[in-house]
Structures are given as C-alpha cells and as structure tokens.
C-alpha cells in the first residue's frame, strides 16, 4: 500500500514565486526507506517538511500535493493535520540541541508527545518513557528524564529526539540530517540505532542528508536533488556505483574516500539561486555533456534497470578518479622543521579564587604533552573528535591561547605564547584560516579591503601595489577580479572561504593554520577548496597545519597525519600508512566509523 | 550557583561604595558648602561662617569627613538635615514608604499588563491589533512624564472630574489614603515603562517563535495553545526579566518628575526640595538611597532570572 505519495509538488517563495522545490514526485510504500541527497539550498529540507504539511513562513505550495495514507495534507483541517503529526508521521530534527525546548525536562517533552495524542493511558506514560529511553540506549533510562537538554551530550540529545519521534510508533519517520554535527563515533552509534529500530518496527523512513555515507547506511533508495529538481532516483547501490546523471556523478566523485588516496574532483561553477535558473535543464550551465536537447527541461523518466533519471544525455562511463598527488618528497621530511611544538600543555580553566580556597583540583588539560613538527612545504593533518584538543593546538600555535607549558618554535626561534607579544615578522609568517568565513571576514569590507589589510600591514604596500597584488591573489584562489568589489554577504560559502585563504596567503606566510576550513561547506565545494589549499601550498612551499574531524578529508589532502585523542597524539605517520594500516585502536574506530558506511559498496568509485 | 550569587552580591556592594564616593565627591566639588548654603547672606561674616563650619565638622580634611560619613552610613545613620535640623532617617523614612506605595502600585499594575500585551501583540504580528498597540507604545515611550502628567490631569481631573488633580495628603498620611491618591501618578509612571517592556516582550516572543524547538513541538502534534503556554512563553519571557528589572529601576528617575507634577509626598519630591534648599546632607542621602534601590532592583531581577533559568540553576561549578 502506498504510504506516501508526492505528486508534482512545487513550493515557491511567496514574493517572487521563485521555486524552491519544482514538480517533485515521489512514492513510498510501507516499510520502505528513501534518502534525499543534495547540497545546501537544493530544496531537500523544504521537501521533507512538506511531507508533514509544514511550509516555512515566506513559502507557499503553488502546485501539486502530498498524500499520506491517501489523505491530501493540503486539504485537511489543521486539527486533522495535528493529529497526523507525531502519530503517523514523526520527525527526527537536524540539531536536537536546537529542537529540544530548553526550559522543559526531556522526560516531560517525550511524555508530551504521547499525551497530546492520547496514545497512552496517562498512568502508563512514565513507564513508557523509561522504556523508550532504554530502547534508544540512553544511560540510566529511569532517571535521565529529569534532566534538562543542556545537561546532556550532543549524542544523548539526538537519542532523546529519536525517542520522542518513536513515542506513537509512527508509520513514517522523517530524518533531517540526523547525524550532522555529531562526532563520527557518535554518528556511527546513532546510525546503528536507527537501522535497528527500523528493522524492529518496520516503519518507513525518509532521510535527508548531504552525506552520502549516511544515506548508504540507512536507505535502500536515494533521490538526488539539484536546484529544486529531483534529477536521479535510484536504488542506493546503483546510485553509489553507477550514477548516470552528470550532477549525481560529480557529487559522488567529490566525496573524499579513505580507501582511494588523492584529492576528489570538484564541480565547476555554483548552483543557480532560486528563480534564476534558465529555461532548460537546470544543470546544463555546469554540465560537460550538454547537447541541443538540454534546452528543454528533462522529464524524470524511468530507467530500464529500475529508478528514474531526468537527463537527456546520461553518462554510463566510470566515475572521475581522485587526483593522485605525488608521494611526499623525502627532502621535505629532512631539514629544520618550520614549526616545532614540544611537550605542549594547554589548560582552559584557570583556578578561580573560590576553587583555590577550596583547594579543588583543576580539570585535566585539554592538550597534555603534545610534540609535533611541521617541515617546509608539508601539509600535516590533525584529526580527532570534538574535545580531542586539535583546535586548541592550532590556537596555541597561532598565539590565541597561551600554553601552560611546553615550547613552540618557528625556524628554531622561540615563538611568544601570546599573539600580542609577537613582532610583525612573526605574525606575518604564521597565518590562520578559520572554520567559518562568515564570522572571520568583516561583513562591511569589500574583498579588496579585506586583502589590502595584510598587504599594508606587513609590506607597507602602496595603493598601486595593493591593487596589483590583490588582483593576482584573487586570480590565485580562482575567483574573478569582479569579486574584488563584493562584500562577504554577496559571496557563496565556498567563495568566502577562498577569500579567507587569499587573505592568509596575502601575508606570504611560511605556515598556514587551517581550522576545520571545509566542515561548513558542501562536498563538491569542499573538494575544490581542498584542491586549492593543496595547490597554493605546493606552489609556494608553504607549510600547512590542517585541523579536521573527518579523517577522509585529511587523508585526501595531507602528507602526514597525527591522530589526537583526549589531548594526546595516539598515532602519527604518513597519511597513507596511517589510513591503510592504522595501529592504534582509536584510529581504527575513527576510520571504521566512516569506512563501514556503505554495506552495498560495489566497484568503480571505491576501488578506482 | 552559590559562587555566582556570592559574586553578584560582592559586585553590588562595590557598586554601592563607588556610588557613595561619587556622591560625596560630587557634593564636595560644588561651590560653597553646607554652611554657606545654610547661612545664606550671613556667610559673608567670616566668624559666623567659621563657627558654623566648626560646629558641623567641615574644617576637617575631605578624606576624614568621607570616612566619618561612610562610617555613620554603615551604621544606618544618614546624618542630620541642616534645613530641617532633624535626623535624615526621620525625614526620608515616611516619604520613602510613600514612594514605594506609588512604585509598587505602578509595577503591580504595569508589569503584568506589559507582558500580557506584549505576548498578545507578538502572536498577532503585523495584524491591526499589533500595529495599533505597537504604535501607541512607541508614542507613549517618547512622551516626557511631565507632558503625560499634564494631559492626564487635564483629562481626568479637569474635564471628567473623576479625581483630584494633585495629591493633598500629607507625607505622614495613612498608607490607604495615599493608595487612593496613586492612580494618576501611577499611570503616568507606568506608561513609559509599560511601553518599553511591551516592545521588548514582543520582540522576544517573535524571536522565540522562530526557534527550532517551536517547530519541533508543532511536528510532534502539540496543539497551538499548548505550544504557546509550555514551549514559547517560558523561553521568551525569561530573557526579558533582567531588563524588566532594569526598566523598573530606571522608573525611579521618573518618580522625581511625577511626584513633583502631582505634589505627591514621596522621596522624589523631597529630592527636588532638598536641591532647592541646598540641603546637601539630605541630597547626599537621597542620591545614595536611589543608588541602593537601583542596585538592589537589578540584583533581584538577575537572581530571579537565574532561579528560573534551568541552564543557570543546574550549572555545575
């Protein structure tokens, strides 16, 4: 029986009627699983919310409809819609930390999901809540309900959110990026739990994610969305191994994979903003296989081997392989290291007056006794989960948080612990690129002004020299000279991060420190930023300390890797060796968490 | 939590000390002193002036006098008024009571009204009700108290004749008599801060309504009324509590004008009279009392917000 049927659903912005979701059609039977993949802004979350009859303010349904168990969600009363939500269709939100009400105890929030539907007799609610907490494997299930959301960890909050969605045994579970923002090992645990619950209850699932690995583990079928259109809808195994739509292929190829070394290829250009796509196929402007027929919008039509595709010129060939870099040069390993960190200890909390009076002991240091070296021209990856101390080491080298003990040297000379104590040359030689360019670039400055600052500060460059250098920097990060006059808000996320890189390289540094620079970016954009960092460092002989939580990203880019766990380096060595033959159990669990992903893994993309 | 409260209390004491110093220095910097003010024309006679200064201890060094004054303060002795030649405590005490009657009446009527209206307006955002109330609030905020006072007297006392225009009760009248005299001054006092709180509550409710947890509650199938009651309001009102405290404390500056306008026998009018009389010890004492009220209002609001916020309440140190 059809549980969910979406027919020609179009959702548009209320003002200019630019469509966010365009003529989407989907069907899902009871117990089936479907993944929706795509990059930010492709309309996947809007589509998912619509499956619950929710359209965010500012958007309207301008065509088509959604039916759940035969009921048209657009045609039933608000009360009927309310009775449906949580009881028939339930949602696991993207970020449980934001989706749990901060002023309510988590037990009460789970109980509320039952009481508003009168699903359980009131006297049984408590017992049922405890049972649910036990089922999602929360510790102390009988007591954890008394906690507030902020007293739980990220993974625990996600488990509470899952428990909340399961209260009424829904027929359809919607998952919006269910593991984004969680550590890889936590992520693996949540995915295991979701898979297990699905097998036990037989509920259907629709999961939205930008992470193909997540979809591969949870769903039997995946629909790929691009600029509001569903472009390919295939069984997961087929999509992973032989995607046919050029966009789906490019998307699959841009995912870094630990088992195939090298930088993944990226997609040139950027997706059209809503309402700005041309009359023909939306992907045509970025597509390498454009033919005359692409001036017409392709229909989503069935494939012989199962699934659907919207393309006039599908590609059946093998996926583009990663670009394999040359082996690290031996000479890079020798010689004086540019940066040498010895026995670094960093502590965040200073003993407060009260703690000192009470003679309370300090918490364990965030970084305890880390030593590492960075050779000239080398890209060193620091990888670990949140709280492992990887960003703290970067902050200590950057002088943003002085170490409690240990030394940091630059070319053999001691580097002062505080950035304010460093002279101009020392500042110039070590540059930082932060995770979030939205926050690290001044929104009121144009790109030209952003780039001019380091040029004036470090080189006393005059106006003509600033202009010339700014132009060549913009060119080096593969942006257009026209971008010089834009402000950060007028740039896409990838473009902003390029500007941040250009600003760092403007100082002609010897070392750049990259703090999770790609974690806020889409995979295809991430691929291009990784390639850029690689090229810039190699062309200029700049050393790079690359901090990331994703070991596959580190493996793709870095010459050497150091794995951090609870403030200590547990394993270090050439990237390829560490990733193919990990020694330490923690490294193995990190790799296992991303590696285990597709159990349907076939050939082609994974074993190039 | 305990350390947090201790810290706040410590900060409050330091603030009060700073206020005491500033008040003392401010009065010192004024030309002339208590004796020139008291003697008026007689001050030209040097021996009379010196006599007076000796009697009042004004010949000692400023530092010495500050510590003497502060020492008395610490024991609850505010000194002696020169003009009225009575202990300041006796002068200020009953008037402070009267002001508190006025302020509490204004607060008890105004705060719930402001919060309630703010929530109602936010839930009907951009609809006629919201536009009318929000615009009225904006106008009320910008009107000075003396204008409001004059208008209210004109409308309610002169045109409608519902109440007396000015308060005729003496400063030591029974509390109930004064309570009956409060409506007009209280409304004047409340109007400005009700508008302030209303606008703040409105924007906080609108912000919170956009939060993910509200959407989540909706996705759970929680009825809209319950979403407002259980999910929206507790999280929207909480951040406004410290600001409400601050607004109420700031209401004190309005007291001076409102009490003068309505001839209400409170500490605000006393302050105006004390300045007119150049009764410097009294001015010092009143300023300090204003400071004390301000500091304790903000302190109470902070502690209340802390007690109601589970995030702060359950924070482990």
């Amino acid at each position: 029986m059809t549980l969910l049927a979406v027919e020609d659903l179009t959702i548009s912005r209320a003002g200019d009627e630019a469509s966010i979701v365009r003529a989407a059609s989907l069907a899902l039977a009871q117990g089936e699983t479907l993944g929706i993949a795509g990059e930010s802004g492709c309309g996947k979350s809007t589509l998912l919310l619509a499956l619950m009859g929710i359209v965010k303010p500012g958007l309207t349904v301008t065509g088509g409809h959604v039916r759940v168990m035969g009921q048209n969600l657009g045609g039933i009363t608000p009360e009927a819609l309310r009775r449906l939500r949580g009881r028939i269709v339930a949602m696991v939100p993207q970020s449980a930390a934001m989706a749990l009400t901060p002023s309510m105890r988590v037990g009460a929030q789970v109980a509320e999901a039952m009481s508003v539907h009168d699903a359980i007799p009131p006297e049984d609610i408590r017992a049922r809540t405890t049972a649910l907490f036990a089922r999602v494997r929360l510790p102390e299930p009988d007591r954890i309900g008394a906690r507030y959301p902020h007293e739980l960890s990220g993974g625990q909050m996600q488990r509470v959110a899952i428990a909340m969605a399961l209260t009424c045994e829904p027929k359809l579970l919607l998952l919006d990026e269910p593991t984004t923002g969680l550590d890889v090992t936590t992520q693996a645990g949540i995915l295991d739990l979701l898979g297990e619950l699905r097998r036990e209850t037989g509920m259907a699932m629709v999961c939205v994610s930008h992470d193909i690995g997540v979809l591969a583990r949870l769903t039997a079928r995946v629909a790929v969305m691009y600029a509001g259109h569903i472009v390919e809808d295939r069984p997961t195994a087929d999509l992973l191994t032989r995607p046919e739509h050029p966009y789906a292929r490019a998307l699959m190829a841009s995912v870094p994979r630990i088992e195939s070394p090298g930088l993944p290829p990226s997609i040139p250009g950027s997706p059209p903003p809503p309402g700005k796509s041309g009359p023909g196929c939306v992907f045509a402007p970025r597509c390498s296989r454009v033919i005359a027929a692409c001036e017409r919008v392709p229909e989503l039509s069935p494939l012989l081997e199962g699934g659907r595709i919207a393309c006039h010129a599908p590609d059946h060939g093998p996926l583009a392989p990663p670009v394999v870099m040359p082996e690290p040069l031996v000479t890079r390993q020798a010689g004086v290291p540019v940066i040498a960190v010895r026995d670094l200890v960093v502590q965040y909390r200073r003993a407060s007056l009260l703690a000192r009076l009470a003679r309370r002991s300090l918490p364990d240091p965030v970084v305890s006794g880390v030593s590492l070296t960075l050779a000239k021209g080398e890209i060193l990856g620091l990888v670990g989960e949140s709280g492992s101390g990887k960003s703290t080491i970067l902050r200590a080298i950057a002088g943003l948080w002085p170490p409690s003990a240990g030394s940091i040297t630059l070319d053999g000379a001691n580097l002062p612990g505080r950035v304010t104590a460093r002279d101009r040359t020392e500042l110039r030689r070590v540059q930082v690129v932060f995770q979030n360019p939205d926050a690290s670039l001044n929104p009121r400055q144009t790109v030209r002004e952003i780039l001019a600052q380091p040029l004036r500060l470090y080189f006393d460059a005059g106006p003509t020299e600033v202009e010339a250098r700014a132009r060549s920097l913009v060119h080096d990060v593969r942006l257009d000279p026209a971008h010089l006059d834009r402000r950060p808000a007028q740039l896409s996320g990838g473009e902003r991060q390029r500007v941040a890189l250009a600003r760092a390289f403007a100082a002609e540094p010897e070392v750049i420190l990259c703090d999770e620079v790609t974690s806020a970016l889409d995979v295809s954009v991430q691929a291009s930023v990784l390639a850029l960092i690689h090229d810039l460092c190699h062309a200029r002989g700049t050393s790079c300390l690359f901090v990331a939580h994703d070991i596959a990203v580190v493996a793709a880019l870095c010459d050497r890797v150091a794995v951090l766990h609870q403030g200590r380096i547990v394993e270090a060595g050439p990237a390829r060796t560490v990733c193919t033959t990990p020694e330490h159990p923690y490294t193995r669990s990190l790799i296992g968490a991303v590696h285990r992903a597709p159990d349907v893994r076939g050939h082609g993309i994974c074993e190039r | 939590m305990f350390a947090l409260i201790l810290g706040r209390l410590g900060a409050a004491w330091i603030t009060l000390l700073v206020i005491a110093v500033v008040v003392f220095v401010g009065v010192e910097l004024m030309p002339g002193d208590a004796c020139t003010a008291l003697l008026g024309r007689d001050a030209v006679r040097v021996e009379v002036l010196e006599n007076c200064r000796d009697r009042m201890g004004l010949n000692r060094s400023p530092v010495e006098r500050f510590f003497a004054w502060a020492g008395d303060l610490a024991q609850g002795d505010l000194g002696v008024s020169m003009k009225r030649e009575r202990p300041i405590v006796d002068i200020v005490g009953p008037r402070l009571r009267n002001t508190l009657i006025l302020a509490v009446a204004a607060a008890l009527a105004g705060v719930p009204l402001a919060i309630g209206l703010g929530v109602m307006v936010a839930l009907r955002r951009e609809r006629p009700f919201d536009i009318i109330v929000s615009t009225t609030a904006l106008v009320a905020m910008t009107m000075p108290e003396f204008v409001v006072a004059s208008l209210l007297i004109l409308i309610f006392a002169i045109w409608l004749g519902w109440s007396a225009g000015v308060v005729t009760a003496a400063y030591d009248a029974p509390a109930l008599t004064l309570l009956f005299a409060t409506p007009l001054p209280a409304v004047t006092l409340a109007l400005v801060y009700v508008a302030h709180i209303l606008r703040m509550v409105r924007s906080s409710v609108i912000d919170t309504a956009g939060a993910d947890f509200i959407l989540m509650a909706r996705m759970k199938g929680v009825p809209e009324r319950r979403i407002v009651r259980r999910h929206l309001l507790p999280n929207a009102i909480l951040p406004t509590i410290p600001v409400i405290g601050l607004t109420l404390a700031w209401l004190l500056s309005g007291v001076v004008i409102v009490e003068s306008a309505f001839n209400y026998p409170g500490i605000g009018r006393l302050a105006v009279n004390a300045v007119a009389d150049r009764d410097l010890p009294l001015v010092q004492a009143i300023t300090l009392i204003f400071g004390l009220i301000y500091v304790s209002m903000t302190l109470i609001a902070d502690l209340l917000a802390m007690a109601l916020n589970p995030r702060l309440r359950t924070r482990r140190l």
Side-chain angles (χ1 to χ4, degrees):
Chain A
M1 180 195 150
T2 315
L3 175 67
L4 170 76
V6 180
E7 279 144 47
D8 277 331
L9 184 71
T10 300
I11 299 174
S12 309
R13 278 205 299 238
D16 53 4
E17 271 158 40
S19 53
I20 307 296
V21 174
R22 178 116 201 126
S25 296
L26 285 170
L28 201 69
Q30 261 173 11
E32 265 195 311
T33 53
L34 171 72
I36 302 178
E39 298 182 277
S40 45
C42 73
K44 56 187 192 301
S45 296
T46 307
L47 176 58
L48 190 75
L49 278 181
L51 302 185
M52 263 202 166
I54 291 177
V55 182
K56 286 230 168 150
L59 300 180
T60 49
V61 176
T62 47
H65 47 77
V66 177
R67 283 178 199 281
V68 175
M69 296 172 73
Q71 288 189 95
N72 180 355
L73 298 192
I76 59 177
T77 62
E79 177 60 16
L81 207 53
R82 180 187 79 72
R83 304 282 315 163
L84 184 109
R85 292 178 187 148
R87 203 166 56 89
I88 310 284
V89 188
M91 173 79 88
V92 175
Q94 171 163 15
S95 156
M98 307 285 286
L100 294 175
T101 304
S103 61
M104 275 172 89
R105 296 174 196 275
V106 294
Q109 297 193 48
V110 172
E112 183 184 47
M114 289 180 241
S115 60
V116 295
H117 292 301
D118 306 317
I120 307 282
E123 61 273 18
D124 296 347
I125 284 182
R126 211 188 139 72
R128 171 111 174 106
T129 307
T130 307
L132 275 168
F133 284 148
R135 194 163 181 202
V136 296
R137 289 192 234 110
L138 279 164
E140 301 186 77
D142 49 335
R143 298 234 299 271
I144 201 161
R147 304 255 194 107
Y148 286 98
H150 71 272
E151 296 176 284
L152 304 178
S153 70
Q156 287 174 336
M157 281 192 264
Q158 198 65 35
R159 281 170 199 273
V160 168
I162 293 171
M164 204 153 80
L166 293 177
T167 47
C168 300
E169 295 174 349
K171 297 256 187 299
L172 174 60
L173 186 65
L174 307 179
L175 304 143
D176 187 4
E177 305 269 9
T179 59
T180 306
L182 300 177
D183 279 325
V184 272
T185 48
T186 317
Q187 227 172 58
I190 298 282
L191 291 179
D192 283 343
L193 173 68
L194 286 170
E196 193 182 296
L197 290 169
R198 202 200 69 77
R199 277 191 300 279
E200 283 170 18
T201 58
M203 60 188 165
M205 271 186 185
V206 177
C207 177
V208 153
S209 182
H210 67 278
D211 186 340
I212 311 291
V214 168
L215 298 181
R217 285 183 64 179
L218 277 182
T219 62
R221 217 173 92 209
V222 173
V224 178
M225 285 185 77
Y226 178 77
H229 295 249
I230 295 175
V231 294
E232 189 164 350
D233 172 13
R234 303 271 300 276
T236 311
D238 291 352
L239 188 81
L240 283 173
T241 52
R242 40 177 197 280
E244 294 188 6
H245 192 284
Y247 173 69
R249 294 169 61 80
L251 187 67
M252 295 298 151
S254 64
V255 179
R257 279 157 213 278
I258 206 153
E259 60 277 9
S260 49
L263 290 168
S266 54
I267 314 175
S270 53
K276 291 278 159 33
S277 52
C281 169
V282 273
F283 190 60
R286 300 173 75 187
C287 186
S288 58
R289 300 173 62 86
V290 180
I291 54 173
C294 296
E295 283 170 23
R296 285 178 293 110
V297 179
E299 294 273 320
L300 192 61
S301 37
L303 284 165
L304 279 178
E305 66 269 32
R308 298 176 298 165
I309 185 172
C311 184
H312 296 299
D315 188 346
H316 308 285
L319 279 176
V323 184
V324 178
M325 298 172 295
E327 282 289 325
L329 299 171
V330 187
T331 48
R332 260 194 252 150
Q333 305 290 350
V336 187
V338 180
I339 289 274
V341 174
R342 242 170 265 305
D343 303 322
L344 185 74
V345 178
V346 185
Q347 203 132 27
Y348 271 125
R349 282 262 300 277
R350 301 273 145 92
S352 70
L353 183 67
L354 216 73
R356 255 180 281 162
L357 288 177
R359 293 184 189 278
R360 242 180 285 175
S361 59
L362 275 175
D364 287 338
V366 189
V367 173
S368 36
V370 163
S371 299
L372 55 87
T373 58
L374 185 61
K376 180 161 176 52
E378 184 185 37
I379 303 181
L380 171 66
L382 272 188
V383 68
E385 295 183 284
S386 54
S388 63
K390 55 188 192 306
S391 290
T392 307
I393 294 175
L394 182 140
R395 288 161 65 88
I397 297 174
L400 300 176
W401 192 268
S404 320
S407 71
I408 301 168
T409 56
L410 175 64
D411 261 344
N414 212 29
L415 206 55
R418 278 177 199 282
V419 76
T420 45
R422 296 183 183 177
D423 64 32
R424 207 160 71 143
T425 328
E426 286 166 336
L427 290 175
R428 181 186 65 74
R429 292 168 72 186
V430 181
Q431 292 289 318
V432 191
V433 183
F434 291 101
Q435 173 174 12
N436 190 349
D438 295 359
S440 66
L441 299 178
N442 184 341
R444 304 187 62 90
Q445 288 184 328
T446 62
V447 173
R448 179 180 281 108
E449 287 161 348
I450 289 169
L451 296 181
Q453 238 165 16
L455 295 172
R456 282 198 217 108
L457 178 66
Y458 299 127
F459 305 108
D460 299 316
T464 44
E465 197 191 345
V466 164
E467 181 64 24
R469 284 224 222 173
R471 278 179 176 271
S472 93
L473 280 165
V474 163
H475 175 260
D476 289 349
V477 296
R478 289 163 213 159
L479 290 174
D480 211 59
H483 285 110
L484 281 173
D485 295 313
R486 307 236 178 107
R487 287 175 215 280
Q490 295 165 293
L491 303 173
S492 71
E495 286 169 340
R496 263 174 256 170
Q497 202 55 288
R498 281 161 198 272
V499 172
L501 277 167
R503 192 207 53 77
F505 276 98
E508 297 178 12
E510 269 134 78
V511 179
I512 69 162
L513 308 170
C514 295
D515 189 7
E516 298 269 13
V517 290
T518 62
S519 60
L521 304 175
D522 280 317
V523 270
S524 71
V525 181
Q526 165 175 287
S528 66
V529 170
L530 290 179
L532 184 64
I533 293 174
H534 179 265
D535 294 353
L536 287 170
C537 288
H538 276 241
R540 297 162 194 236
T542 313
S543 311
C544 174
L545 185 72
F546 188 86
V547 166
H549 66 276
D550 185 343
I551 196 163
V553 169
V554 170
L557 176 72
C558 300
D559 304 317
R560 270 196 313 136
V561 173
V563 181
L564 275 160
H565 183 47
Q566 293 177 353
R568 290 191 169 79
I569 293 182
V570 294
E571 185 165 1
R576 230 159 281 178
T577 319
V578 171
C579 295
T580 49
T581 53
E583 301 270 322
H584 196 275
Y586 179 70
T587 317
R588 264 185 239 141
S589 78
L590 268 188
I591 293 174
V594 284
H595 202 77
R596 226 162 7 129
D599 37 17
V600 286
R601 188 155 23 101
H603 310 280
I605 43 167
C606 304
E607 296 158 25
R608 184 186 47 86
Chain B
M1 177 73 190
F2 180 65
L4 223 63
I5 294 175
L6 222 64
R8 275 310 144 85
L9 280 173
W13 279 114
I14 292 169
T15 314
L16 281 179
L17 190 69
V18 171
I19 292 172
V21 172
V22 169
V23 166
F24 187 83
V25 171
V27 169
E28 280 299 304
L29 287 178
M30 280 200 265
D33 57 27
C35 280
T36 52
L38 180 67
L39 298 173
R41 228 172 239 211
D42 290 343
V44 287
R45 283 158 56 199
V46 178
E47 66 279 12
V48 176
L49 189 63
E50 281 307 309
N51 208 339
C52 166
R53 281 183 174 157
D54 272 344
R55 187 154 49 85
M56 304 190 71
L58 290 179
N59 284 331
R60 289 182 292 165
S61 81
V63 178
E64 229 176 299
R65 276 183 287 126
F66 175 74
F67 281 107
W69 178 62
D72 287 348
L73 274 184
Q75 293 166 36
D77 180 3
L78 291 171
V80 176
S81 159
M82 296 174 323
K83 189 86 175 181
R84 295 157 180 86
E85 293 185 334
R86 282 169 49 204
I88 290 176
V89 178
D90 294 348
I91 302 171
V92 167
R95 289 180 173 85
L96 185 61
R97 179 204 66 165
N98 300 347
T99 295
L100 287 181
I101 290 173
L102 174 62
V104 168
L108 282 186
V111 174
L113 178 79
I115 295 178
L117 267 182
V119 172
M120 279 166 67
V121 172
L123 296 178
R124 289 164 186 75
R125 178 146 75 117
E126 313 284 299
R127 302 224 209 112
F129 180 69
D130 172 29
I131 294 166
I132 293 169
V133 173
S134 295
T135 318
T136 314
L138 202 65
V139 173
M141 263 166 78
T142 49
M143 278 213 286
E145 278 102 347
F146 62 88
V147 176
V148 176
S150 311
L151 280 177
L152 288 180
I153 291 174
L154 184 68
I155 296 170
F156 291 100
I158 298 176
W159 288 352
L160 298 173
W162 286 0
S163 74
V166 291
V167 181
T168 47
Y171 73 94
D172 50 0
L176 212 60
T177 316
L178 282 159
L179 195 62
F180 282 115
T182 50
L184 284 191
V187 166
T188 313
L189 206 51
L191 204 59
V192 174
Y193 85 85
V194 162
H196 261 280
I197 295 175
L198 185 154
R199 290 181 62 81
M200 204 169 53
V201 169
R202 177 182 182 270
S203 71
S204 180
V205 170
I206 288 173
D207 277 356
T208 312
D212 281 1
F213 58 82
I214 300 296
L215 184 64
M216 187 64 225
R218 203 161 283 142
M219 292 192 293
K220 268 167 36 178
V222 180
E224 288 297 319
R225 294 181 68 130
R226 191 181 158 90
I227 291 181
V228 171
R229 212 175 60 241
R230 292 297 310 272
H231 297 267
L232 182 58
L233 291 187
N235 293 290
I237 305 296
L238 196 63
T240 66
I241 291 177
V243 196
I244 289 177
L246 213 70
T247 313
L248 286 181
W250 175 69
L251 165 158
L252 283 174
S253 64
V255 157
V256 175
I257 294 163
V258 170
E259 286 183 358
S260 303
F262 288 98
N263 193 40
Y264 187 87
I267 197 171
R269 210 189 63 184
L270 181 66
V272 175
N273 292 342
V275 171
D277 296 345
R278 304 207 62 190
D279 192 342
L280 296 185
L282 189 55
V283 172
Q284 273 181 343
I286 293 173
T287 316
L288 202 65
I289 288 169
F290 275 150
L292 178 70
I293 295 175
Y294 199 100
V295 169
S296 38
M297 284 301 294
T298 45
L299 186 69
I300 290 168
D302 279 356
L303 293 181
L304 188 67
M306 223 183 278
L308 292 177
N309 188 344
R311 219 176 263 265
L312 293 173
R313 180 167 14 115
T314 57
R315 191 163 76 173
R316 274 163 245 140
L317 278 168

